[in-house]
Amino acid sequence: MFCDESVVIGEWIYLGILVVPEPKEQILLDDLLNSRCGNPQKDKIWGKCNPLCRYHSKNDTEVRFSDISKSKDKYFVADRWLDYFLRDRDKIYFHILGIDLTKLDKSKFGNGGQNIIYNRFFRTAILKPVKTYFNRYVKIFIDSIYHDENKALETHSYFPWHSIFSIDEQDGKITFKTKEINFINSDHKDSSNQYSNFIQFIDLLLGCVRNCIDHFSKDDDKEKLALKSLPIIERLIEAPNNVSSSYNYVGRQKIEFFPKHDLKNLDERSIEYQSKRMASFYAGRKLKIKEKAQLPLLYNNCHENPS
Protein backbone atom coordinates (compact mmCIF):
# COMPACT_ATOMS: atom_id res chain seq x y z
CA MET A 1 0.00 0.00 0.00
CA PHE A 2 1.24 3.48 -0.90
CA CYS A 3 -0.22 6.57 0.75
CA ASP A 4 -0.28 10.31 0.30
CA GLU A 5 -2.28 13.14 1.83
CA SER A 6 -3.44 16.57 0.78
CA VAL A 7 -4.72 19.22 3.18
CA VAL A 8 -6.92 22.17 2.30
CA ILE A 9 -6.50 24.37 5.33
CA GLY A 10 -9.71 24.76 7.33
CA GLU A 11 -11.91 22.72 4.96
CA TRP A 12 -10.81 19.28 3.75
CA ILE A 13 -8.24 16.58 4.27
CA TYR A 14 -7.82 14.07 1.41
CA LEU A 15 -6.18 10.67 1.84
CA GLY A 16 -5.03 8.68 -1.17
CA ILE A 17 -4.24 4.96 -0.93
CA LEU A 18 -2.76 3.04 -3.87
CA VAL A 19 -3.29 -0.66 -3.20
CA VAL A 20 -0.86 -2.84 -5.16
CA PRO A 21 -1.60 -6.60 -5.12
CA GLU A 22 1.64 -8.55 -5.08
CA PRO A 23 1.05 -10.37 -8.42
CA LYS A 24 0.53 -7.00 -10.14
CA GLU A 25 3.30 -5.05 -8.41
CA GLN A 26 6.14 -5.51 -10.92
CA ILE A 27 3.80 -5.21 -13.90
CA LEU A 28 2.37 -1.92 -12.63
CA LEU A 29 5.81 -0.56 -11.77
CA ASP A 30 7.19 -1.50 -15.19
CA ASP A 31 4.20 0.06 -16.91
CA LEU A 32 4.64 3.33 -15.01
CA LEU A 33 8.36 3.40 -15.76
CA ASN A 34 7.84 2.60 -19.44
CA SER A 35 5.15 5.28 -19.61
CA ARG A 36 7.72 7.85 -18.53
CA CYS A 37 9.28 7.54 -21.95
CA GLY A 38 7.72 9.60 -24.74
CA ASN A 39 9.36 7.62 -27.51
CA PRO A 40 6.62 6.34 -29.87
CA GLN A 41 8.29 2.90 -30.19
CA LYS A 42 5.82 0.36 -28.81
CA ASP A 43 8.53 -1.94 -27.48
CA LYS A 44 10.35 0.77 -25.55
CA ILE A 45 11.54 -0.45 -22.13
CA TRP A 46 12.53 2.23 -19.63
CA GLY A 47 16.28 2.54 -19.19
CA LYS A 48 17.11 -0.18 -21.73
CA CYS A 49 17.63 1.94 -24.83
CA ASN A 50 21.28 1.86 -25.85
CA PRO A 51 22.49 4.51 -25.81
CA LEU A 52 19.95 6.23 -23.55
CA CYS A 53 17.86 8.64 -25.59
CA ARG A 54 18.48 12.34 -25.12
CA TYR A 55 15.12 12.72 -23.34
CA HIS A 56 15.77 10.04 -20.73
CA SER A 57 17.17 12.35 -18.05
CA LYS A 58 14.30 14.83 -18.59
CA ASN A 59 11.70 12.09 -18.21
CA ASP A 60 13.46 10.72 -15.13
CA THR A 61 11.90 13.43 -12.98
CA GLU A 62 9.73 13.46 -9.87
CA VAL A 63 6.05 13.83 -10.73
CA ARG A 64 4.13 15.77 -8.10
CA PHE A 65 0.84 17.48 -8.90
CA SER A 66 1.82 20.56 -6.91
CA ASP A 67 5.05 20.90 -8.95
CA ILE A 68 3.64 20.26 -12.44
CA SER A 69 3.92 23.92 -13.44
CA LYS A 70 7.64 23.99 -12.63
CA SER A 71 8.62 21.98 -15.68
CA LYS A 72 7.07 20.83 -18.96
CA ASP A 73 8.99 17.57 -18.51
CA LYS A 74 6.96 16.86 -15.35
CA TYR A 75 3.75 17.70 -17.18
CA PHE A 76 4.52 15.41 -20.12
CA VAL A 77 5.29 12.44 -17.85
CA ALA A 78 2.14 13.10 -15.82
CA ASP A 79 0.14 13.31 -19.04
CA ARG A 80 1.44 9.91 -20.18
CA TRP A 81 0.70 8.41 -16.77
CA LEU A 82 -2.90 9.60 -17.07
CA ASP A 83 -3.09 8.03 -20.53
CA TYR A 84 -2.08 4.77 -18.88
CA PHE A 85 -4.60 5.30 -16.06
CA LEU A 86 -7.43 5.83 -18.55
CA ARG A 87 -6.44 2.69 -20.53
CA ASP A 88 -6.05 0.41 -17.52
CA ARG A 89 -8.79 -2.05 -16.70
CA ASP A 90 -7.26 -4.37 -14.10
CA LYS A 91 -4.02 -3.23 -12.44
CA ILE A 92 -4.72 0.10 -10.70
CA TYR A 93 -6.46 -0.17 -7.32
CA PHE A 94 -6.95 2.96 -5.22
CA HIS A 95 -9.17 4.55 -2.61
CA ILE A 96 -9.44 8.31 -2.06
CA LEU A 97 -11.18 9.61 1.05
CA GLY A 98 -12.08 13.25 1.62
CA ILE A 99 -12.72 14.41 5.20
CA ASP A 100 -14.91 17.51 5.61
CA LEU A 101 -13.38 19.27 8.62
CA THR A 102 -16.27 21.74 8.86
CA LYS A 103 -18.67 18.93 9.86
CA LEU A 104 -16.46 17.30 12.49
CA ASP A 105 -16.68 18.00 16.19
CA LYS A 106 -13.01 18.78 16.74
CA SER A 107 -13.41 18.58 20.52
CA LYS A 108 -13.58 14.80 20.15
CA PHE A 109 -10.07 14.71 18.68
CA GLY A 110 -8.22 16.33 21.57
CA ASN A 111 -5.60 19.02 21.09
CA GLY A 112 -3.64 17.31 18.31
CA GLY A 113 -5.28 19.22 15.48
CA GLN A 114 -5.33 17.87 11.95
CA ASN A 115 -2.64 15.26 12.59
CA ILE A 116 -4.90 13.55 15.14
CA ILE A 117 -7.83 13.65 12.70
CA TYR A 118 -5.62 12.27 9.93
CA ASN A 119 -4.39 9.48 12.22
CA ARG A 120 -7.95 8.50 13.18
CA PHE A 121 -9.14 8.29 9.58
CA PHE A 122 -5.98 6.69 8.22
CA ARG A 123 -7.06 3.35 9.66
CA THR A 124 -10.41 3.71 7.87
CA ALA A 125 -8.64 4.59 4.62
CA ILE A 126 -6.64 1.35 4.89
CA LEU A 127 -9.52 -0.90 5.88
CA LYS A 128 -12.15 0.21 3.37
CA PRO A 129 -10.33 -0.67 0.13
CA VAL A 130 -8.76 -3.85 1.52
CA LYS A 131 -12.02 -5.28 2.86
CA THR A 132 -14.04 -4.08 -0.13
CA TYR A 133 -11.77 -5.06 -3.02
CA PHE A 134 -10.51 -8.35 -1.54
CA ASN A 135 -13.46 -9.44 0.57
CA ARG A 136 -13.70 -12.80 -1.25
CA TYR A 137 -10.45 -13.93 0.40
CA VAL A 138 -10.58 -15.71 3.75
CA LYS A 139 -7.29 -14.10 4.83
CA ILE A 140 -5.65 -10.88 3.63
CA PHE A 141 -1.93 -10.23 4.14
CA ILE A 142 -0.46 -6.74 3.89
CA ASP A 143 3.28 -6.81 3.35
CA SER A 144 4.00 -3.13 3.90
CA ILE A 145 2.63 0.39 3.97
CA TYR A 146 4.63 3.21 2.43
CA HIS A 147 3.78 6.84 3.14
CA ASP A 148 5.20 9.97 1.59
CA GLU A 149 7.76 11.59 3.91
CA ASN A 150 6.12 13.84 6.48
CA LYS A 151 8.12 14.89 9.54
CA ALA A 152 5.04 15.64 11.64
CA LEU A 153 3.65 12.15 11.03
CA GLU A 154 7.01 10.39 11.29
CA THR A 155 7.65 11.85 14.74
CA HIS A 156 4.07 11.49 15.93
CA SER A 157 3.83 9.24 18.97
CA TYR A 158 1.01 7.11 17.47
CA PHE A 159 0.83 7.46 13.70
CA PRO A 160 3.70 5.19 12.54
CA TRP A 161 2.34 2.12 14.36
CA HIS A 162 -1.14 2.65 15.80
CA SER A 163 -3.29 1.88 12.73
CA ILE A 164 -1.42 -1.35 12.07
CA PHE A 165 -1.61 -2.39 15.71
CA SER A 166 -5.34 -1.61 15.99
CA ILE A 167 -6.28 -3.48 12.81
CA ASP A 168 -4.15 -6.47 13.84
CA GLU A 169 -5.85 -6.55 17.23
CA GLN A 170 -9.43 -6.06 16.07
CA ASP A 171 -9.68 -7.67 12.62
CA GLY A 172 -8.91 -11.37 12.35
CA LYS A 173 -9.14 -11.33 8.56
CA ILE A 174 -6.21 -8.95 7.99
CA THR A 175 -2.61 -9.71 8.96
CA PHE A 176 0.28 -7.29 8.60
CA LYS A 177 3.82 -8.42 7.87
CA THR A 178 5.12 -5.10 9.15
CA LYS A 179 4.71 -3.30 12.47
CA GLU A 180 5.26 0.25 11.29
CA ILE A 181 4.63 2.48 8.32
CA ASN A 182 7.63 3.08 6.07
CA PHE A 183 8.19 6.73 5.18
CA ILE A 184 9.79 7.23 1.80
CA ASN A 185 10.91 10.24 -0.22
CA SER A 186 8.62 10.62 -3.20
CA ASP A 187 11.58 11.46 -5.44
CA HIS A 188 12.94 8.11 -6.64
CA LYS A 189 16.37 9.63 -7.26
CA ASP A 190 16.62 10.80 -3.65
CA SER A 191 15.18 7.63 -2.16
CA SER A 192 16.99 5.25 -4.55
CA ASN A 193 13.79 3.23 -4.35
CA GLN A 194 11.52 2.60 -7.35
CA TYR A 195 8.53 2.42 -4.98
CA SER A 196 8.67 6.21 -4.97
CA ASN A 197 7.00 6.04 -8.38
CA PHE A 198 3.91 4.61 -6.68
CA ILE A 199 3.87 7.55 -4.24
CA GLN A 200 4.13 9.95 -7.17
CA PHE A 201 1.34 8.17 -9.02
CA ILE A 202 -1.18 8.30 -6.16
CA ASP A 203 -0.18 11.94 -5.59
CA LEU A 204 -1.01 12.67 -9.24
CA LEU A 205 -4.39 10.93 -9.01
CA LEU A 206 -5.14 12.70 -5.72
CA GLY A 207 -4.25 16.07 -7.24
CA CYS A 208 -6.47 15.47 -10.27
CA VAL A 209 -9.39 14.42 -8.06
CA ARG A 210 -8.99 17.50 -5.90
CA ASN A 211 -8.81 19.83 -8.89
CA CYS A 212 -11.84 18.21 -10.51
CA ILE A 213 -13.84 18.71 -7.31
CA ASP A 214 -12.55 22.02 -5.98
CA HIS A 215 -10.85 23.50 -9.07
CA PHE A 216 -8.32 24.95 -6.63
CA SER A 217 -5.69 25.56 -9.33
CA LYS A 218 -6.24 27.53 -12.53
CA ASP A 219 -2.74 26.71 -13.75
CA ASP A 220 -3.07 25.68 -17.40
CA ASP A 221 -1.16 22.40 -17.12
CA LYS A 222 -2.93 21.35 -13.92
CA GLU A 223 -6.29 22.12 -15.50
CA LYS A 224 -5.40 20.03 -18.55
CA LEU A 225 -4.44 17.05 -16.40
CA ALA A 226 -7.59 17.32 -14.29
CA LEU A 227 -9.79 17.65 -17.38
CA LYS A 228 -8.08 14.64 -18.93
CA SER A 229 -8.92 12.53 -15.89
CA LEU A 230 -12.45 13.96 -15.58
CA PRO A 231 -14.28 11.22 -17.55
CA ILE A 232 -13.41 8.49 -15.06
CA ILE A 233 -13.43 10.72 -11.95
CA GLU A 234 -16.91 11.93 -12.90
CA ARG A 235 -18.13 8.33 -13.12
CA LEU A 236 -16.48 7.33 -9.85
CA ILE A 237 -18.27 10.17 -8.06
CA GLU A 238 -21.62 10.14 -9.85
CA ALA A 239 -22.02 6.40 -10.56
CA PRO A 240 -19.65 4.56 -8.16
CA ASN A 241 -21.51 1.23 -8.42
CA ASN A 242 -21.90 1.02 -12.18
CA VAL A 243 -20.63 -2.49 -12.89
CA SER A 244 -21.27 -1.91 -16.61
CA SER A 245 -18.76 0.94 -16.88
CA SER A 246 -16.20 0.47 -19.63
CA TYR A 247 -13.55 1.61 -17.13
CA ASN A 248 -14.18 -1.47 -14.97
CA TYR A 249 -13.60 0.50 -11.77
CA VAL A 250 -16.06 -1.26 -9.44
CA GLY A 251 -14.06 -3.37 -7.00
CA ARG A 252 -10.83 -1.51 -7.83
CA GLN A 253 -11.31 2.22 -7.45
CA LYS A 254 -13.39 4.41 -5.18
CA ILE A 255 -13.70 8.06 -4.18
CA GLU A 256 -15.62 8.75 -0.96
CA PHE A 257 -16.28 11.61 1.43
CA PHE A 258 -17.08 11.89 5.14
CA PRO A 259 -19.29 12.92 6.85
CA LYS A 260 -22.41 13.49 4.80
CA HIS A 261 -24.27 15.08 7.72
CA ASP A 262 -23.19 17.68 10.25
CA LEU A 263 -23.37 15.87 13.58
CA LYS A 264 -21.92 18.56 15.83
CA ASN A 265 -25.18 19.77 17.38
CA LEU A 266 -26.94 16.43 17.74
CA ASP A 267 -27.32 14.35 20.88
CA GLU A 268 -25.21 11.21 20.39
CA ARG A 269 -27.93 9.17 22.11
CA SER A 270 -30.63 10.30 19.71
CA ILE A 271 -32.04 8.16 16.90
CA GLU A 272 -31.32 10.99 14.46
CA TYR A 273 -27.65 11.00 15.39
CA GLN A 274 -27.30 7.23 15.09
CA SER A 275 -29.14 7.19 11.76
CA LYS A 276 -27.02 9.98 10.24
CA ARG A 277 -23.81 8.51 11.61
CA MET A 278 -24.51 5.19 9.91
CA ALA A 279 -24.97 6.98 6.59
CA SER A 280 -21.83 9.07 6.96
CA PHE A 281 -19.88 8.02 3.86
CA TYR A 282 -21.04 9.27 0.49
CA ALA A 283 -19.82 9.67 -3.08
CA GLY A 284 -21.72 12.48 -4.80
CA ARG A 285 -20.20 15.94 -4.90
CA LYS A 286 -20.24 18.78 -7.37
CA LEU A 287 -17.30 18.79 -9.78
CA LYS A 288 -16.42 22.45 -10.14
CA ILE A 289 -14.01 21.89 -13.02
CA LYS A 290 -16.97 20.79 -15.19
CA GLU A 291 -17.82 24.48 -15.48
CA LYS A 292 -14.43 24.97 -17.13
CA ALA A 293 -14.99 21.95 -19.38
CA GLN A 294 -18.34 23.34 -20.57
CA LEU A 295 -17.07 26.81 -21.48
CA PRO A 296 -16.20 26.02 -25.13
CA LEU A 297 -19.61 24.39 -25.62
CA LEU A 298 -21.40 27.38 -24.14
CA TYR A 299 -19.30 29.69 -26.31
CA ASN A 300 -20.23 27.78 -29.45
CA ASN A 301 -23.91 27.74 -28.52
CA CYS A 302 -23.89 31.49 -28.13
CA HIS A 303 -22.70 31.83 -31.70
CA GLU A 304 -25.12 29.28 -33.06
CA ASN A 305 -28.10 30.68 -31.16
CA PRO A 306 -27.58 34.44 -30.76
CA SER A 307 -30.97 34.84 -29.11
Side-chain angles (χ1 to χ4, degrees):
M1 304 185 79
F2 300 86
C3 318
D4 194 25
E5 90 286 348
S6 178
V7 178
V8 184
I9 301 301
E11 296 179 0
W12 288 85
I13 297 176
Y14 291 90
L15 296 81
I17 307 284
L18 182 70
V19 183
V20 184
E22 188 176 15
K24 300 179 186 293
E25 178 184 303
Q26 193 58 52
I27 299 171
L28 178 59
L29 180 57
D30 289 343
D31 285 350
L32 288 177
L33 290 175
N34 293 340
S35 296
R36 281 183 172 275
C37 183
N39 193 305
Q41 291 179 232
K42 293 182 179 180
D43 59 347
K44 176 62 70 178
I45 299 176
W46 177 253
K48 298 296 184 181
C49 45
N50 188 22
L52 292 177
C53 69
R54 62 194 180 97
Y55 296 108
H56 183 85
S57 61
K58 292 183 178 181
N59 292 327
D60 193 24
T61 183
E62 181 186 19
V63 178
R64 301 280 298 187
F65 192 82
S66 60
D67 296 335
I68 291 297
S69 57
K70 292 182 179 181
S71 160
K72 278 295 182 183
D73 298 319
K74 296 179 184 296
Y75 167 78
F76 290 138
V77 174
D79 188 61
R80 290 192 288 274
W81 273 5
L82 289 182
D83 283 336
Y84 173 67
F85 169 49
L86 292 169
R87 291 194 308 269
D88 173 67
R89 296 296 182 271
D90 66 349
K91 290 184 285 295
I92 299 172
Y93 291 71
F94 70 82
H95 182 259
I96 289 175
L97 176 62
I99 310 299
D100 186 351
L101 299 177
T102 65
K103 292 180 181 177
L104 294 182
D105 185 351
K106 296 182 180 61
S107 67
K108 297 184 183 302
F109 295 91
N111 299 318
Q114 291 183 351
N115 284 335
I116 291 292
I117 296 174
Y118 185 78
N119 185 41
R120 292 276 187 92
F121 284 100
F122 189 76
R123 180 173 58 179
T124 301
I126 293 172
L127 277 173
K128 284 184 75 69
V130 170
K131 299 199 75 171
T132 301
Y133 302 160
F134 310 104
N135 190 53
R136 64 188 181 277
Y137 294 101
V138 175
K139 196 76 175 175
I140 301 170
F141 295 92
I142 299 178
D143 285 335
S144 55
I145 299 179
Y146 287 86
H147 195 292
D148 188 20
E149 281 186 341
N150 182 311
K151 293 300 181 185
L153 296 177
E154 290 176 57
T155 57
H156 193 277
S157 56
Y158 293 106
F159 184 79
W161 61 272
H162 190 259
S163 292
I164 295 173
F165 174 79
S166 296
I167 294 172
D168 258 341
E169 286 284 303
Q170 300 170 17
D171 197 306
K173 185 168 185 161
I174 300 174
T175 298
F176 286 88
K177 295 183 179 181
T178 182
K179 293 185 178 180
E180 289 197 0
I181 295 168
N182 297 297
F183 290 91
I184 184 174
N185 193 307
S186 59
D187 189 334
H188 52 283
K189 288 181 289 187
D190 286 344
S191 70
S192 299
N193 190 331
Q194 294 289 22
Y195 279 170
S196 293
N197 287 278
F198 290 143
I199 298 291
Q200 293 173 45
F201 186 60
I202 189 59
D203 175 89
L204 174 63
L205 297 183
L206 189 57
C208 286
V209 168
R210 273 194 57 209
N211 215 24
C212 283
I213 295 171
D214 300 319
H215 202 188
F216 67 94
S217 175
K218 306 300 189 294
D219 173 79
D220 188 54
D221 287 340
K222 291 178 182 177
E223 281 190 337
K224 288 179 181 177
L225 294 175
L227 288 169
K228 185 166 202 167
S229 66
L230 180 61
I232 185 170
I233 290 173
E234 181 177 21
R235 287 164 175 79
L236 282 165
I237 288 178
E238 296 181 358
N241 301 313
N242 181 14
V243 294
S244 300
S245 172
S246 61
Y247 288 107
N248 192 39
Y249 52 73
V250 174
R252 290 194 307 123
Q253 300 164 0
K254 201 169 188 64
I255 301 171
E256 285 188 302
F257 310 100
F258 179 94
K260 184 175 184 178
H261 306 285
D262 190 334
L263 305 176
K264 290 196 296 291
N265 298 316
L266 296 178
D267 184 344
E268 293 186 13
R269 297 165 296 181
S270 69
I271 295 176
E272 181 183 5
Y273 177 87
Q274 295 300 328
S275 174
K276 288 183 175 180
R277 184 175 178 274
M278 292 298 293
S280 293
F281 291 90
Y282 65 103
R285 276 183 68 192
K286 180 181 178 181
L287 296 163
K288 293 182 180 179
I289 205 166
K290 286 177 70 174
E291 298 172 4
K292 170 78 175 182
Q294 293 167 355
L295 285 177
L297 176 61
L298 293 174
Y299 178 80
N300 289 336
N301 286 342
C302 288
H303 280 71
E304 294 169 6
N305 302 291
S307 59

